[in-house]
Amino acid sequence: MMNPRLLKFPLRIHLPVQWGDMDASGSVSATALYRHFESARLAYFRDLISPRLSPATRDAFIHGKGVGRILHSATIRIVDDNDADGREGDNGGADEDALLRRARQLRYPDTLVLAARTPPDRIATHAFEQEYLCVSTRLSAAAAAGLVVVATGTARIVAFDHVAKRKAALPLEVVDAMRAVEEEAVAAAEEFRNLNR
């Protein structure tokens, strides 16, 4: 699923919706979406940041054996049936909008594309924020206009010294790795956009 909006997110993973992800109403619960965003957050560090770090920094930051990271807070926003921001592209006709509103319910079976990024302007001395997208491949395939985003999220992550048991400064090596990953994603999205003009 190539799309300039998704390309801005350097981490993109596919996760199948599980039957147990659904709540009593038959749609995927917010709790399950929090867990899926956690999977994206962990994959971001394991797959994109960890390979760029020295062994000592990797041990500390990724494996929590020194200055690492902890989740401070997280938000999730379920894109509701009437939210035009959930679908990228032209608004289309009323019939298509009505169809998408009815189909917006995220349920089994489906595969989710979970995307994560760390905007460079959200990296501070002791903490950073990440942004997440959750895209339904089933609903996106049915939508003529492109991606159907079913949820967005954010997380504030704080650097924490696991030995001293207190807040710490983000290691410069980690900051540099995050900035490099994000710059590469922006460049790829721009290149994709230029090639498809």
Side-chain angles (χ1 to χ4, degrees), residues 162-179:
H162 292 279
V163 175
K165 306 293 185 209
R166 61 183 162 89
K167 182 171 81 168
L170 283 167
L172 185 56
E173 189 178 349
V174 172
V175 171
D176 290 344
M178 287 191 294
R179 288 187 190 282

Side-chain angles (χ1 to χ4, degrees), residues 3-161:
N3 183 287
R5 184 173 182 189
L6 271 182
L7 286 175
K8 292 179 190 174
F9 287 76
L11 187 278
R12 294 174 302 280
I13 59 173
H14 292 75
L15 288 178
V17 171
Q18 303 294 316
W19 182 260
D21 290 344
M22 294 187 299
D23 58 21
S25 71
S27 60
V28 172
S29 70
T31 301
L33 289 170
Y34 272 113
R35 283 196 315 265
H36 293 321
F37 284 152
E38 178 182 40
S39 294
R41 180 170 47 257
L42 294 173
Y44 180 93
F45 290 105
R46 180 193 65 229
D47 299 346
L48 301 179
I49 303 304
S50 181
R52 296 168 184 257
L53 302 177
S54 67
T57 303
R58 183 180 310 114
D59 241 13
F61 197 76
I62 304 299
H63 302 295
K65 296 180 180 177
V67 175
R69 71 218 186 278
I70 58 171
L71 179 64
H72 174 275
S73 56
T75 65
I76 192 166
R77 180 174 160 267
I78 307 299
V79 178
D80 77 17
D81 295 345
N82 298 310
D83 191 346
D85 291 339
R87 193 182 75 241
E88 182 173 276
D90 188 9
N91 199 356
D95 292 336
E96 180 182 328
D97 287 342
L99 174 65
L100 285 169
R101 280 196 298 275
R102 285 193 302 272
R104 181 58 54 91
Q105 186 181 29
L106 183 58
R107 62 184 186 277
Y108 174 89
D110 200 346
T111 299
L112 305 177
V113 177
L114 298 162
R117 72 177 174 184
T118 307
D121 63 340
R122 303 255 177 90
I123 300 172
T125 305
H126 298 90
F128 57 93
E129 290 184 13
Q130 286 192 312
E131 297 175 353
Y132 309 100
L133 284 181
C134 177
V135 174
S136 163
T137 59
R138 178 180 56 83
L139 298 177
S140 294
L147 293 182
V148 176
V149 176
V150 293
T152 60
T154 62
R156 180 164 178 76
I157 300 157
V158 177
F160 186 78
D161 187 330

